[in-house]
Amino acid sequence: MNKEVRSLGRQGGRAVFAFTARSMQQVSTLLIALLAARFLTPAQYGVYSIGIVFLILVQTLTYTGFYQFILTSREDDRDVLSTCFWLIAGLVSAASLVLAIAAYPLEWLFDAAPLGRIIVLLALIQPLASIGAWSSAALLRRGAVMLNFTVMLVQNLIALIGGGLLLWFWHSIYALVAYRYLRVISGAVLFLLLGNDRPEMHFRRELARKATAFSGGLYGSRLLNFLSRYAADLLLGMLHSPAAVGLYRFGNRIATGATDIVNQPMANFAATQFGAAARQEIDLAEPLARLTGTVALLGGIVGATIIVFARDVIVLFFQPSYLPALAVTFAMALRGAAGAGQMMVEPAFAALGRTSWVMVFDLVTTAIAVAVIFATSPLGLGLLAWAQAAVVLGTTGWAFFLLRRRGHIRIRRAVRNFAGAIVLSTLYGVVLSAAYRAMDAGLALSRISTLGLGLVAASALALAVLALAIWLRVFSLRAFSG
């Protein structure tokens, strides 16, 4: 019994560290975005947000495709790592160059100075970011998981502290650009100093063709996913103003920034675990079930917490001009749990070597999402956001269908875990909301003291729900490996 307890404790400790390290980038990005919203107007924040949308388009090329080929390929390590380094670096450099050339035409299109200068500065640093992505994949491939986590944790702590100080003393969108530089440079230096992997002047054309064939569907899928997620920002910028983009992105950032603290690390865990299962010929139904339930429950808990506390947080810490973004925040808070099944499509089909189905999935979902955005963007921010949340929930059902029909993966346990997670996170939200309202009505405390007490109650309640979910086998600590 004692051995089992110690084993569970070690497993839990590793899970906490792994999740903390993986999520620190999202925590850093969220806190910096919130600090920026405190000092910048919606219009200023909107200009930077438009620039970041195009930067994300380049970043989609960094952590997919060739990156996942490194994780899943059974070829010789030296050949895979060296060839994929040059493929990643070349692709990201070319994309960064195209973005820099398009910077000032985009500024004219959106009528949003100094957007051109912001985009050029952001594009210049991206080739260096590709080196960090390659180093991370190389560490994961050879099993140096904890070292990879350590580098990521330190990198993002440096960026958070440095970026926070920059914004605190320099209320400018250029402070946000400097924060991006600090994160990329610190990561590259840390991987260089602590990692043992170095690129070589070695390039196998046959392997490069194989990696390109593997990656093509994934890159197409990510571009389509980018459109479905950021078309609203671009349309608001073109049809309305940078201020509208600022409000939408602020409301979106509060919700998705918080849920991405869960989703982005779990997406990385999923890519690694499905890749390992493929190399070891393990039934993919196992990682699918444990990851789906874990992602949905964590996303649901975070989303419910946001819905309960968002209004008081905006009133206490931000300019009143950001309150119209609250409807966006509520809608987007639900996407974290709703998209759990959708998140499994790419890593599962990549593990199966059938990446063309990822492209098919995202082609259908993007067409629907963009059509909904076109239809609802003139009708207000709230309706636009709720329509997108509904689309995400629908695409999770489509994801399960595709995984079963085309991936031939058993989905019964995954669907059961997804449903259980939704029920548990809804129960959590109802109880938390009732408790918070009771605190507000029954205790003679200031608003900020009540908020602090509510967050403590949320933490205790979340732990209780997670313990219940572990007992019900909806939530698994094994989902935090890799």
Side-chain angles (χ1 to χ4, degrees), residues 36 70 72 144 147 173 189 216 223 235 238 240 266 339 369 388 468:
I70 293 174
T72 60
L147 177 58
I173 55 178
V189 171
L223 292 175
L235 280 174
M238 289 187 286
H240 298 281
M266 297 311 300
Q388 290 181 77
L468 176 60

Side-chain angles (χ1 to χ4, degrees), residues 250-252 254-255 306-307 310 314 325-334 385:
F250 172 76
N252 196 329
I254 288 181
I306 292 166
I307 290 172
I314 293 177
L326 196 60
V328 178
T329 300
F330 288 163
M332 294 302 177
L334 301 177

Side-chain angles (χ1 to χ4, degrees), residues 29-39 45 250 253-254 318:
T29 301
L30 175 61
L31 292 178
I32 292 297
L34 296 180
L35 190 60
R38 182 175 178 85
F39 294 125
Y45 189 71
F250 172 76
R253 173 53 64 187
I254 288 181
F318 300 102

